[in-house]
Amino acid sequence: MQIQPYLFFDGRCEEALEFYRGALGAEMTMLMHFKDSPDPHEPGMTPPGAEDKVMHMSFRIGDTTVLASDGRCLGRPSFQGFSLSLTMANDAEASGCSLHWPTVGRCRCR
């Protein structure tokens, strides 16, 4: 079994990917904007101007695939936090960690 987290960023999905790319070496594997959807959207599903926002995205961090979206782009981002556990196989892998959390400081992976 595989578990893939699906994260919603309410209009800031591509910005989040850039953070994960810089901090963890994330690699985008798929991107679809709302304007690229093969099916028309139901009226009211997304606000006007959201055509360039992310409908679906997948990216990899190490062996993990993460799914992401801008969701409905309502302009009400409500980030309530999360827990993240990183497991490094060895010191060499840990030395590539460049996480920096403003409230915690530098990643103490080594």
Side-chain angles (χ1 to χ4, degrees):
M1 175 172 46
Q2 210 177 50
I3 296 175
Q4 296 174 320
Y6 205 118
L7 307 176
F8 293 89
F9 293 99
D10 196 37
R12 299 180 67 186
C13 190
E14 292 188 80
E15 179 185 344
L17 174 64
E18 288 307 312
F19 170 78
Y20 291 125
R21 184 176 282 150
L24 298 171
E27 297 178 34
M28 182 173 49
T29 56
M30 189 281 259
L31 172 65
M32 177 187 288
H33 293 100
F34 283 100
K35 67 182 178 187
D36 301 324
S37 174
D39 296 321
H41 300 293
E42 293 181 31
M45 183 177 160
T46 56
E51 299 83 17
D52 291 323
K53 295 296 182 179
V54 175
M55 182 174 170
H56 299 293
M57 174 192 289
S58 67
F59 58 94
R60 296 194 55 78
I61 299 173
D63 294 331
T64 302
T65 297
V66 178
L67 306 174
S69 173
D70 277 321
R72 296 189 61 206
C73 308
L74 298 176
R76 295 184 302 224
S78 174
F79 190 74
Q80 312 239 336
F82 66 95
S83 295
L84 176 66
S85 174
L86 301 175
T87 303
M88 308 294 181
N90 52 48
D91 287 342
E93 187 176 15
S95 68
C97 177
S98 63
L99 279 177
H100 184 277
W101 302 101
T103 58
V104 176
R106 187 116 176 107
C107 177
R108 308 235 190 290
C109 303
R110 298 176 213 26

